[in-house]
Amino acid sequence: MRAASLLILFALSTPVHAQGLRARLAAAQDASVPRGTLTSIEYLLDAADRMERREFTEAATSWRQRASRYLRAVEEGRDPYPAADGEIVNRGYRSAISPTLQGYAVYLPPDYDPSQRYPLYIALHGGSSNGNLFLGVVLGNNMDWLTYNEHLFDDYVPRWRPNWIVVAPTGFGQVMWRWMGEQDVLDVLDDVERHYSVDENRIVLGGLSNGGVGAYALGARHAWRFSMVQAMAGAPSWLQYLGRTDPVERRVASAYSAMSLAENLRNTDFRYYHGREDGGVMKPTYVEEFTRHLRRHGIPARERWYDAGHDILYRVHLHGRVYGRIEDVRRNPEPAEARVVSGDYRAARQHWLEITRIPGYPSIGEVRGRIEGETLALDTENVSAFVVRAHDAPLGETAVLQVDGAEVYRGPAAHLGHRVHLVRGEEGWALGFPSDEGRIKKPGVSGPISDAYFGRMVHVYGTRNAEHTDALREAAERGARGWPLWAWHLNQEVVADSDVTEAQLRDAHVVLYGSAGDNALLQRVAGALPIQVEADAIVVGSERYEGANVGTRFVYPNPLAPHRYVIVQGGVTPAAVALGNKLPEFVGDYVVYDARSVRGRQGRVRFRNRMRASGFFDDHWRLPGSETSDEEGAGPDQGETAQTNEEVEPALPIPPAPPVPEAPRRFGVPRSDQAGAAIRRIWARVPTFINFRAEIPGATWRNDRRAMWSVRAQQECYDALAETEVPFRPRPEPSGIVPSPVEILGPVDGVWFRMTHEEQPLVMSCEMAARLPALIAVLKEHGVHGVEILSSYRDTPSTSFHTMGLALDLARFWTDDGWLSVLAHYEETPLQETCRGPAPRARRARTLRRMACDLARTRLLSSTLTPNYNAGHRNHFHIDARPNDPRIFVR
């Protein structure tokens, strides 16, 4: 019996069986089941193939077995999905965005009855997860998030079974629920409503971590669709999350920020949750700022705090009891008052109001409407056209419409029809439609570049220069896999310029890759475009941008199909074209870049990298300044050019950094000693490090020869630790670059240590451990009895002294008065030097500041970084010791 089972398992795992399943699926296309069922079975097979390529062999076998069972049901005339009640299963659908089928996980309540209507919970996953795994976690299968990547495709059995439909999209991976990620959520909602019996007035959106960011953003952008939103451990605003942004990035990100769209939340039960000890990138201070913002605007702030860190899912969900507590929360589909705030036509509707024209797009526009008796009073800000969906508004038999205090209609409500269009003209508001004459920014053709990622895109590479074709094809293939960071299952169409069809031009946005004369389609439309790609320059109006690596990326209505976009990714060389795939994500309508603009890894924002030019076309798709008529909305206030996109001068100067020291000519430790081998590897790596400290305003540099030190032989250092009674044991070499690695086993001079992640040992170089007694003496002067360490030795990133065991991140300090938390108690002072400015007012903040500065004064540390350094250090003090380096840095 066991042998027979093994043979069956082997057969189910072979490619031949996969081919057989696809043949059965092809034969079942005329079966009497919903088309979505066949698409979902096809998705199971596609996903199993991907799992097998990634060596998730057991999971691939299981998913094929499920596909086989479901096909058997289809062949018998049954739809297997509604029968899978009480289970977690996976479905698929066809997305316009990518030819690859997109999947989501779904749970049906036990004894699911399609004649009843069920509440729906949409769960947005966080980092390192997908829909399948996250739905398993949401329904009780808890696990360490560090092991997520091992269990992405496991079969999960729900540990609690609410009387809800619960779904978890994947959102194209880790694009954090923007653009195609947002569209995936809306498409999944449509697919679920198409195949299951959903109560449209009891739809809850929830998300954790990255999914919490998504819940804030989508919950505010589409608040009218949800009865409740549960945003957990996220950031309420992309502007908070991104940190330093330029004016173009701020305009794009504002449209995705709940902080900017808070007025949309008035008719939705919007709840948000956070851990007070969350030390990650989702800062508790962000949530506190959001609460203050809501209260200033008279919006209910339904916040809940936990004495916990980042993972608060089960606290919010009450280990499965939450569903019973929120099942009676219902959406009011016809509220007497509605407000819509939007900076994006993709999310410009709330209830019965919809904005259709925003001057200076993208910028924030608002319409507020309230019904009192027969009167519908409407007030607008930065809106030139909008729609009242009269069919969804609680109007009586007679209606009076007032816009900005002026009456525009009085008469029978039935005469208004289902959709009432209003437009602002020279004489004020009136019933009517906005003009579509000429090129104009409007829903569907509005920019910015990221707006194209809500639909089908075809990537077209040039073939007119044979020497460039391969490089341009590679650039197109890379772009087709996703310009946004961390996109999954995004494999858009790639074709040569000679193979583009009229149907593709009609039905898709096209992305054109090429240098001057390379791309036949680009040459065909170039005369109608506002930016030109020449052999030695990118030309933007009267400005020429020259250089060996200069390139551009811009979006524009396709002259051959004005209801679709053309995106040009061009450069003076194929290499410059390829650099466009490394642009940051929050860009406007156009950007001109060079190699310096995209140095390093691709980022969400440009940070310190300067673009040659960037900005927005005006409302008529003209370059800023190309027309001067205020009536047409042109002028420099409509976009940021190279002149307005310069760095803002910091309030404090950036002090000159001492030169990087040269590598020692001789090392005092032989190569045969472990420490000698490590120090040589360190100095082979260190000269390549970018000196980020040289770009920080308000920093303090010193060159002190007395602070220089050299790595000792391994046994010599071990003996020094033993002499100072530091409890340790030698550790195996973790990476070849840690001089004499050791693990600290207990308190040092009465002060204990613990790791924030307690399962991790406290490992560091012996040379850093040798500094602990002197550093502890400083901490004890401030009443410290214990230290929580966020990070000691780690293997990433390669440019960090953590990888050498020569750095520590100190997060909290235990004193007689309890914890001193860098995250909770340190007061940032970006407008003054860290150790020379006025002392903070709060006692704990003063203690932390003095502690950091006293540590720096020991001369035992090369760097002392506080939250003043940057947002990445907001929850800890970073200290490091750099061999053979006289420089001391404090910020």
Side-chain angles (χ1 to χ4, degrees):
M1 188 70 178
R2 177 176 173 79
S5 298
L6 289 174
L7 285 173
I8 293 172
L9 181 63
F10 175 75
L12 287 169
S13 65
T14 62
V16 173
H17 180 71
Q19 294 172 7
L21 289 175
R22 291 191 181 277
R24 288 171 60 193
L25 179 62
Q29 291 303 305
D30 295 327
S32 58
V33 297
R35 175 61 53 182
T37 294
L38 299 176
T39 301
S40 294
I41 295 173
E42 183 181 355
Y43 167 73
L44 296 179
L45 296 175
D46 288 355
D49 291 345
R50 289 195 294 270
M51 294 174 207
E52 198 159 61
R53 290 194 293 270
R54 295 178 58 184
E55 299 184 355
F56 287 92
T57 307
E58 185 176 346
T61 299
S62 177
W63 283 50
R64 288 195 184 113
Q65 287 174 329
R66 185 180 293 274
S68 181
R69 293 196 304 272
Y70 284 7
L71 273 171
R72 190 177 307 117
V74 169
E75 291 161 349
E76 295 171 356
R78 296 181 290 109
D79 185 353
Y81 276 98
D85 55 354
E87 301 179 34
I88 295 174
V89 298
N90 284 270
R91 296 191 65 110
Y93 73 93
R94 299 192 187 280
S95 168
I97 297 169
S98 174
T100 302
L101 290 178
Q102 300 303 307
Y104 63 93
V106 59
Y107 158 88
L108 294 183
D111 302 318
Y112 169 75
D113 181 355
S115 67
Q116 299 182 20
R117 290 201 173 273
Y118 291 87
L120 170 66
Y121 193 101
I122 304 173
L124 306 184
H125 66 74
S128 307
S129 187
N130 64 3
N132 178 67
L133 181 147
F134 193 60
L135 187 53
V137 172
V138 164
L139 293 178
N141 296 275
N142 196 19
M143 69 185 74
D144 186 340
W145 67 269
L146 293 172
T147 67
Y148 275 7
N149 64 336
E150 303 170 21
H151 303 287
L152 292 171
F153 310 107
D154 289 4
D155 292 325
Y156 293 101
V157 176
R159 294 184 59 191
W160 36 77
R161 291 178 167 82
N163 200 36
W164 286 58
I165 301 172
V166 187
V167 301
T170 291
F172 286 91
Q174 296 299 328
V175 297
M176 294 182 71
W177 310 105
R178 300 157 299 152
W179 311 318
M180 70 280 286
E182 174 176 312
Q183 190 60 48
D184 180 65
V185 175
L186 300 178
D187 288 344
V188 166
L189 176 55
D190 288 344
D191 201 62
V192 171
E193 290 183 322
R194 186 179 305 116
H195 293 102
Y196 301 110
S197 183
V198 173
D199 185 344
E200 63 180 7
N201 293 321
R202 290 191 293 164
I203 300 176
V204 177
L205 177 71
L208 174 74
S209 190
N210 285 0
V213 176
Y216 276 112
L218 273 65
R221 283 166 63 84
H222 304 283
W224 69 280
R225 303 193 68 157
F226 306 114
S227 57
M228 176 185 286
V229 176
Q230 290 188 315
M232 298 169 274
S237 168
W238 271 95
L239 296 175
Q240 295 170 321
Y241 182 81
L242 295 171
R244 185 177 182 180
T245 54
D246 69 21
V248 171
E249 292 166 338
R250 285 195 290 275
R251 281 177 64 177
V252 176
S254 291
Y256 270 84
S257 298
M259 193 87 75
S260 306
L261 310 176
E263 292 288 347
N264 293 337
L265 307 177
R266 290 183 180 274
N267 290 327
T268 300
D269 190 336
F270 192 97
R271 306 185 188 186
Y272 52 104
Y273 314 80
H274 219 83
R276 295 189 184 280
E277 298 301 325
D278 192 333
V281 295
M282 313 297 182
K283 295 176 62 174
T285 52
Y286 296 165
V287 179
E288 293 168 353
E289 182 184 356
F290 184 59
T291 295
R292 292 191 297 269
H293 181 79
L294 294 183
R295 289 173 178 165
R296 281 196 301 269
H297 289 80
I299 302 170
R302 300 181 179 95
E303 62 180 321
R304 175 71 186 273
W305 290 92
Y306 298 94
D307 292 326
H310 191 60
D311 190 358
I312 58 174
L313 177 67
Y314 288 167
R315 287 176 168 87
V316 176
H317 278 211
L318 303 171
H319 292 269
R321 299 190 302 277
V322 67
Y323 302 98
R325 297 192 179 189
I326 65 176
E327 64 181 351
D328 292 330
V329 178
R330 295 177 180 272
R331 179 187 72 138
N332 180 358
E334 296 183 354
E337 182 173 355
R339 299 190 181 194
V340 55
V341 180
S342 178
D344 182 359
Y345 292 138
R346 299 283 179 181
R349 177 185 175 185
Q350 297 296 333
H351 296 288
W352 36 267
L353 289 175
E354 182 178 2
I355 299 172
T356 54
R357 292 292 188 277
I358 300 174
Y361 189 89
S363 58
I364 300 296
E366 179 174 4
V367 180
R368 301 178 295 278
R370 62 188 182 279
I371 298 173
E372 297 178 357
E374 296 181 341
T375 300
L376 170 52
L378 298 149
D379 297 292
T380 71
E381 291 182 23
N382 194 42
V383 170
S384 58
F386 66 99
V387 171
V388 176
R389 294 173 175 259
H391 184 70
D392 299 317
L395 296 171
E397 293 184 1
T398 302
V400 178
L401 269 61
Q402 297 176 350
V403 184
D404 293 337
E407 184 174 301
V408 297
Y409 176 83
R410 179 184 293 268
H415 291 181
L416 293 171
H418 286 184
R419 290 168 58 91
V420 184
H421 291 262
L422 296 111
V423 62
R424 188 180 63 200
E426 295 181 0
E427 298 181 1
W429 286 96
L431 299 180
F433 297 88
S435 172
D436 277 346
E437 294 182 7
R439 290 192 180 94
I440 190 167
K441 287 190 173 182
K442 57 188 176 182
V445 195
S446 61
I449 293 172
S450 53
D451 190 61
Y453 284 84
F454 283 87
R456 180 184 174 193
M457 300 172 70
V458 176
H459 297 256
V460 182
Y461 61 91
T463 61
R464 298 184 68 182
N465 185 332
E467 294 181 359
H468 295 172
T469 298
D470 288 345
L472 294 176
R473 183 176 59 247
E474 290 177 8
E477 290 171 346
R478 173 65 185 87
R481 293 193 299 272
W483 160 56
L485 288 166
W486 306 326
W488 297 348
H489 312 320
L490 180 65
N491 296 292
Q492 296 172 326
E493 300 158 87
V494 178
V495 298
D497 55 1
S498 56
D499 296 331
V500 179
T501 67
E502 292 301 318
Q504 288 171 326
L505 293 175
R506 180 185 68 244
D507 298 333
H509 310 306
V510 292
V511 188
L512 308 182
Y513 298 80
S515 308
D518 284 338
N519 191 304
L521 188 54
L522 177 55
Q523 292 300 107
R524 182 178 171 188
V525 299
L529 300 179
I531 296 176
Q532 301 298 312
V533 179
E534 297 186 354
D536 59 348
I538 302 298
V539 181
V540 182
S542 61
E543 296 291 330
R544 291 180 61 85
Y545 297 92
E546 300 177 345
N549 292 297
V550 69
T552 184
R553 202 169 205 256
F554 66 91
V555 66
Y556 198 72
N558 187 346
L560 303 176
H563 61 296
R564 300 293 183 191
Y565 290 122
V566 60
I567 295 176
V568 174
Q569 186 165 318
V572 298
T573 64
V577 174
L579 289 175
N581 289 327
K582 294 181 63 178
L583 285 169
E585 297 176 324
F586 288 91
V587 294
D589 294 339
Y590 66 89
V591 60
V592 179
Y593 58 84
D594 57 25
R596 294 171 299 177
S597 306
V598 293
R599 59 188 173 186
R601 295 181 179 178
Q602 182 187 8
R604 299 202 184 281
V605 294
R606 70 180 181 89
F607 195 45
R608 295 187 179 90
N609 294 344
R610 294 194 180 200
M611 300 300 158
R612 299 288 293 274
S614 67
F616 301 93
F617 300 113
D618 72 11
D619 293 336
H620 296 269
W621 285 102
R622 298 177 303 220
L623 284 165
S626 62
E627 297 288 341
T628 59
S629 170
D630 292 336
E631 296 179 359
E632 294 182 339
D637 61 322
Q638 299 296 323
E640 285 73 31
T641 65
Q643 286 73 35
T644 61
N645 194 26
E646 292 296 320
E647 292 277 3
V648 176
E649 284 297 319
L652 291 175
I654 298 176
V660 178
E662 295 182 359
R665 296 180 180 179
R666 297 180 58 187
F667 295 97
V669 185
R671 191 185 299 272
S672 58
D673 189 285
Q674 188 279 336
I679 188 59
R680 286 168 172 82
R681 293 190 182 100
I682 288 174
W683 272 101
R685 178 184 295 183
V686 167
T688 67
F689 286 10
I690 298 174
N691 186 7
F692 292 109
R693 287 154 176 69
E695 301 178 7
I696 300 297
T700 302
W701 285 96
R702 281 192 300 153
N703 237 337
D704 191 336
R705 304 293 298 180
R706 294 171 296 177
M708 287 188 65
W709 62 279
S710 299
V711 168
R712 291 170 282 189
Q714 185 174 84
Q715 191 57 50
E716 182 183 351
C717 190
Y718 288 168
D719 291 344
L721 288 190
E723 184 176 344
T724 55
E725 299 182 351
V726 174
F728 78 98
R729 66 179 175 192
R731 290 279 297 197
E733 167 54 68
S735 66
I737 201 169
V738 181
S740 310
V742 298
E743 178 183 351
I744 304 302
L745 301 176
V748 176
D749 195 15
V751 175
W752 52 262
F753 298 91
R754 82 173 193 192
M755 297 294 290
T756 300
H757 301 286
E758 295 186 11
E759 72 281 3
Q760 296 179 355
L762 178 54
V763 175
M764 64 189 74
S765 166
C766 176
E767 297 291 356
M768 178 58 80
R771 284 160 170 69
L772 290 179
L775 302 181
I776 290 300
V778 172
L779 298 180
K780 289 175 72 173
E781 292 177 1
H782 297 280
V784 173
H785 307 302
V787 182
E788 180 179 294
I789 296 182
L790 180 64
S791 178
S792 55
Y793 165 77
R794 62 173 187 257
D795 57 8
T796 57
S798 60
T799 56
S800 170
F801 273 71
H802 281 284
T803 63
M804 306 163 194
L806 293 170
L808 296 173
D809 290 343
L810 314 179
R812 298 197 300 174
F813 307 89
W814 181 254
T815 70
D816 290 335
D817 296 329
W819 284 107
L820 272 176
S821 167
V822 177
L823 177 65
H825 301 133
Y826 190 90
E827 291 183 10
E828 298 179 22
T829 54
L831 299 182
Q832 65 184 52
E833 294 180 12
T834 297
C835 296
R836 296 183 182 179
R841 295 181 180 180
R843 176 178 57 83
R844 291 180 175 179
R846 289 197 302 272
T847 300
L848 283 170
R849 181 86 61 78
R850 287 198 298 265
M851 190 185 301
C853 295
D854 288 347
L855 287 172
R857 292 188 187 102
T858 63
R859 296 198 193 99
L860 295 173
L861 303 173
S862 302
S863 300
T864 305
L865 310 183
T866 75
N868 288 344
Y869 181 70
N870 64 14
H873 293 74
R874 60 181 169 270
N875 62 345
H876 64 274
F877 293 157
H878 167 97
I879 58 175
D880 62 48
R882 304 182 174 213
N884 310 103
D885 192 337
R887 299 172 300 166
I888 296 175
F889 178 90
V890 180
R891 182 59 170 132

